[in-house]
């Protein structure tokens, strides 16, 4: 088996550039879904249930995309066709979801419409997102993998900055940030429109710039024959997975549960802590929603900076654990920062944890999977370590919110504790 060649910086960049557009869409979803459903009339204690659909679709879609793309060979490649189709569907749904309250439907009907649109949006985003990780696994050697995933992390966070800032920017240039009760403001609607346009342009760039290896050349660099690829099934793959797969998954469980609580409750937490209200119909709440987008963007910028420092750590596990501790500390500080500008500090710290969550798990797992084959299927299955904890956290969210007194800001403390537990679990991982 031949050694995969070193790729130039720009070839590594092109492999992941479309991720910039995909992440804008993901940022708009994660930053505005709770705000949209609260505006439509959802109760805070049932809010976490709306977040079950995104990870549920992820756990269904990504293993399927991974397994099918392992067996797909077309003139356009094996991963890129799935990337393009996913992005095209996402663009269509992004134009529908924020308008759920604009069609004259009742509150219940608007919420159901929003749920179906969210299901389609997350399905398509997952379909577009997973191929980027697979492309790195297919075409990048072990020596350059950390660099490739760091570039992917940079583009991911840069896209997040753009997506999170859109509502704040559009409010600053004069678009209305208030709307009739039950209707999503124009600042959010136009953010989704522009994000959809950027998404399709970025994916087209990657589609035109990246040429995947044909089957014969792919077989020269990857150890598993096509016959063996065909015989795999998910249960056998999970049974034979290296221990690193499961131990990194344990860390993922606590961290992604914490992130789910952030996405679900942080708009209300910031509004409650800084503006003193959780009334979704108020102008103050919508201002808090825009400011939360700015804080998300600051988190992403912190991630960009921290991602450039992660490769400098000599010990990967120490870098991973320290990053998660910093992220946990950020969550713990949110309920105690009554000034909106002071909220910048905890979100910068959360950015450190987020950078590690994006880069470290895939570096550790793809290195451990060398020689196992079925890279796409394994990475699709590994996505379960992202989706399952979110589903569990979403199911328990309303009950935990009741236990902590109904204060969404206290859910940030819950998220912080989960991150700290995850940081401790890092030391159970044995690197290859």
């Amino acid at each position: 088996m031949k050694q995969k060649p070193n790729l130039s910086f720009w070839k590594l960049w092109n492999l992941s550039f479309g991720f910039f557009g995909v992440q804008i869409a993901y940022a708009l979803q994660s930053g505005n879904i709770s705000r949209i459903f609260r505006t439509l009339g959802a109760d805070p204690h049932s809010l976490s249930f709306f977040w079950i659909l995104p990870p549920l679709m992820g756990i269904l879609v990504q293993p399927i995309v991974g397994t099918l793309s392992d067996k797909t060979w077309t003139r356009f490649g094996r991963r890129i066709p799935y990337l393009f189709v996913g992005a095209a569907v996402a663009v269509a749904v992004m134009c529908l979801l924020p308008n759920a309250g604009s069609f004259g439907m009742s509150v219940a009907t608007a919420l159901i419409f929003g749920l179906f649109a969210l299901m389609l949006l997350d399905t398509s985003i997952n379909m577009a997102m997973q191929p980027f990780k697979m492309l790195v696994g297919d075409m990048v050697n072990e020596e350059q993998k950390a660099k490739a995933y760091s570039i992917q992390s940079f583009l991911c966070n840069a896209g997040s900055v753009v997506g999170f800032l859109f509502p704040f920017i559009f409010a600053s240039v004069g678009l209305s940030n208030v709307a009739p009760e039950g209707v999503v403001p124009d600042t959010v609607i136009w953010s989704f429109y522009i994000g959809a346009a950027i998404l399709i342009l970025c994916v087209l760039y990657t589609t035109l710039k990246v040429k995947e290896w044909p089957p014969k050349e792919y077989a020269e660099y990857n150890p598993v024959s096509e016959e063996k690829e065909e015989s795999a099934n998910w249960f056998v793959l999970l049974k034979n997975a290296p221990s690193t797969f499961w131990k990194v998954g344990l860390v993922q469980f606590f961290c992604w549960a914490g992130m789910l609580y952030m996405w679900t409750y942080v708009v209300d937490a910031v509004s409650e802590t800084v503006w003193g209200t959780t009334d979704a119909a108020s102008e103050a709440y919508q201002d808090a929603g825009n400011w939360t987008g700015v804080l998300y963007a600051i988190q992403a910028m912190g991630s960009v900076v921290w991602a450039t420092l992660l490769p400098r750590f000599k010990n990967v596990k120490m870098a991973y654990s320290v990053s998660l501790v910093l992220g946990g500390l950020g969550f713990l500080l949110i309920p105690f920062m009554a000034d909106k500008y002071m909220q910048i500090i905890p979100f910068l710290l959360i950015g450190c944890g987020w950078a590690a969550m994006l880069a470290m798990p895939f570096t550790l797992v793809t290195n451990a999977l060398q020689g196992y084959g079925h890279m796409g299927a394994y990475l699709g299955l590994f996505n379960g370590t992202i989706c399952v904890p979110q589903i569990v956290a979403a199911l328990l969210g309303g009950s935990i919110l009741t236990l902590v007194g109904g204060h969404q800001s206290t859910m940030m403390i819950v998220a912080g504790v989960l991150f700290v537990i995850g940081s401790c679990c890092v030391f159970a991982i044995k690197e290859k």
Side-chain angles (χ1 to χ4, degrees), residues 40-230:
L40 293 176
D43 179 81
H45 287 83
S46 62
L47 193 59
S48 66
F49 293 121
F50 293 97
W51 282 91
I52 293 174
L53 278 177
L56 182 61
M57 298 316 299
I59 202 171
L60 293 174
V61 171
Q62 295 210 28
I64 293 172
V65 170
T67 301
L68 291 178
S69 65
D70 279 342
K71 303 173 184 178
T72 297
W73 298 99
T74 71
R75 60 185 293 238
F76 302 106
R78 66 195 309 221
R79 315 296 187 188
I80 286 177
Y82 295 90
L83 159 65
F84 187 82
V85 171
V89 175
V91 166
V93 180
M94 287 174 73
C95 296
L96 291 174
L97 175 59
N99 288 295
S102 304
F103 299 135
M105 297 180 286
S106 66
V107 171
T109 306
L111 289 173
I112 292 171
F113 177 88
L115 272 174
F116 277 104
L118 175 59
M119 179 179 68
L120 288 173
L121 178 59
D122 205 78
T123 299
S124 55
I125 289 177
N126 274 294
M127 190 173 178
M129 188 181 296
Q130 187 71 356
F132 288 107
K133 300 181 179 74
M134 298 175 195
L135 283 171
V136 173
D138 286 346
M139 303 181 70
V140 179
N141 60 38
E142 285 192 40
E143 181 184 347
Q144 288 190 304
K145 239 169 219 172
K147 182 178 181 180
Y149 281 124
S150 292
I151 290 172
Q152 198 166 96
S153 179
F154 170 83
L155 288 167
C156 170
N157 287 295
S160 295
V161 170
V162 175
F164 289 136
L165 283 177
F166 271 161
F168 181 81
I169 292 171
F170 288 141
S172 300
V173 299
L175 279 183
S176 176
N177 194 46
V178 293
E181 186 174 353
V183 177
V184 177
D186 286 345
T187 50
V188 176
I189 292 174
W190 278 95
S191 295
F192 275 78
Y193 289 167
I194 302 300
I198 295 173
L199 167 60
I200 198 65
L201 289 174
C202 290
V203 168
L204 282 172
Y205 176 90
T206 289
T207 301
L208 295 173
K209 287 289 186 179
V210 174
K211 182 175 175 58
E212 294 186 71
W213 291 324
K216 185 176 179 181
E217 190 173 358
Y218 176 86
E220 293 176 0
Y221 294 110
N222 294 276
V224 179
S225 69
E226 289 184 44
E227 181 181 358
K228 188 176 178 182
E229 289 279 1
E230 291 287 338

Side-chain angles (χ1 to χ4, degrees), residues 188-306:
V188 176
I189 292 174
W190 278 95
S191 295
F192 275 78
Y193 289 167
I194 302 300
I198 295 173
L199 167 60
I200 198 65
L201 289 174
C202 290
V203 168
L204 282 172
Y205 176 90
T206 289
T207 301
L208 295 173
K209 287 289 186 179
V210 174
K211 182 175 175 58
E212 294 186 71
W213 291 324
K216 185 176 179 181
E217 190 173 358
Y218 176 86
E220 293 176 0
Y221 294 110
N222 294 276
V224 179
S225 69
E226 289 184 44
E227 181 181 358
K228 188 176 178 182
E229 289 279 1
E230 291 287 338
S231 66
N233 69 70
W234 296 346
F235 295 105
V236 172
L237 291 178
L238 289 173
K239 180 181 177 181
N240 296 328
S243 63
T244 299
F245 181 97
W246 298 106
K247 291 175 180 177
V248 174
L250 180 64
V251 179
Q252 294 269 84
F253 182 88
F254 293 106
C255 295
W256 284 97
M259 290 304 300
L260 188 281
Y261 289 144
M262 177 187 186
W263 295 326
T264 305
Y265 299 109
V266 75
V267 174
D268 283 76
V270 170
S271 185
E272 182 179 24
T273 303
V274 178
W275 275 265
T277 182
T278 55
D279 178 9
S282 67
E283 183 177 353
Y285 183 88
Q286 298 300 335
D287 288 340
N290 283 357
W291 186 248
T292 301
V294 174
L295 294 174
Y296 271 133
I298 289 168
Q299 171 203 319
M301 287 187 279
S303 293
V304 169
V305 175
W306 192 250

